Amino acid sequence: MTLSLQYVYKKGQVNKPFIGLVRVHDTSAKSLKEAILSLLMKHSLSLSKIRGQGYDGASNMQGKMNAVVKKHKEVETFFAIVANVLTVIGASFKRRDQLRDHHAKLLEQLLESGKVQSGKGLNQERELQRPSDTCWGSYCKTLDNFVVLFASIVHVLGVIEYEGQEANDRLQAQAFLSKINSFEFVFLLHLMLKVLLMSNELSKALQKKEQDIVNAMLFLDLTKERLQQMRDEGWKPLMDEVYLFFFTKHDILVPNMEEFYIPGKSKHRSSSVTYSYHLRVELFYTVIDLQVQEFNRRFDVVSGNLLLGMASLNLANSVANFDK
């Protein structure tokens, strides 16, 4: 880990010295904090004089979007598959061109059949890009593009499976085709997209440099309300959307929801719960609950009240928030 300081001389000159390199055993927030404090103490620098902190690349210090991912095995696997598929298809210009050309042909066919409408701002060109670990919005955009480009992604992987020059490429494409052509993957694709879309407004609000803290807290409450409403009323609409995706666009085997769930298509690992229970309780309810719990953890009552209290001292509008 590298550590640099930035400070201003009395005459106003900015100085940015490099302090040193530190070996860390792991990149957890706790380990990095201890290493920073140790290096500051070595140079007789007081922590109390720090006026700001910035972390470049240390996504776990910035608030990496791993709240749900690291606490749910299936979701972690889902995002790993998405990332690897993006890597495989984005490995060459040829594959990216194949993706773009195939999607353009599909879109042309849909326009001719009247299944999609044309107009300004509609049907813009899509591309696959790896999400940033520290930006919720990039995950949202990645999954949205994945849904739209799904048929073209399947097409390109199919081409690689049969025409790839390297055996490893062919095996990779075959494995990923099997993964993304599963009901559980597509279910998680739609579920996680909906959850991230609901959180996206809050994400944008928190990233604004001039965002009113009161408005940000309102966005937080609204996001949690939307997630709770989705938990209470969103199961059937989500399943309808997933079934429509299967039946109208893609030829994927739909499991019998009343049969026992078989993890990873293994005939020897059948569980004691049905597909319906697994999707609804172990995925749908659990993912939403984990997301709400993470919001409550990061923005608890004490810190929320503290932020609102600080906002009340804002001089704008004649300290309008002070009475609140």
Side-chain angles (χ1 to χ4, degrees), residues 100-223:
R100 189 182 302 110
D101 294 343
H102 185 268
H103 181 63
K105 289 179 181 178
L106 283 180
L107 188 57
E108 185 178 350
Q109 293 172 2
L110 292 172
L111 288 170
E112 290 176 354
S113 63
K115 292 183 178 179
V116 296
Q117 296 180 343
S118 61
K120 186 176 180 180
L122 299 176
N123 309 316
Q124 295 183 359
E125 185 174 297
R126 303 281 189 129
E127 62 179 15
L128 292 177
Q129 60 186 46
R130 292 182 66 89
S132 166
D133 283 341
T134 57
C135 182
W136 298 349
S138 67
Y139 276 85
C140 185
K141 185 176 181 180
T142 294
L143 297 189
D144 186 41
N145 288 341
F146 207 103
V147 170
V148 174
L149 297 171
F150 190 89
S152 299
I153 292 171
V154 170
H155 169 77
V156 175
L157 289 176
V159 172
I160 299 172
E161 180 185 7
Y162 289 101
E163 299 179 7
Q165 295 183 352
E166 302 291 335
N168 188 51
D169 291 343
R170 296 193 297 271
L171 289 171
Q172 271 191 331
Q174 183 183 36
F176 291 137
L177 270 174
S178 174
K179 294 293 185 183
I180 70 174
N181 275 323
S182 69
F183 190 91
E184 183 171 325
F185 178 88
V186 175
F187 176 84
L188 278 171
L189 179 60
H190 284 79
L191 171 61
M192 294 310 304
L193 177 57
K194 282 186 175 297
V195 169
L196 290 175
L197 280 171
M198 289 184 181
S199 307
N200 201 36
E201 285 187 51
L202 174 62
S203 174
K204 291 179 180 178
L206 294 174
Q207 292 180 52
K208 284 186 178 180
K209 292 184 178 180
E210 299 179 357
Q211 174 63 46
D212 185 341
I213 294 175
V214 176
N215 287 336
M217 292 298 99
L218 290 175
F219 270 122
L220 173 64
D221 291 338
L222 179 61
T223 301

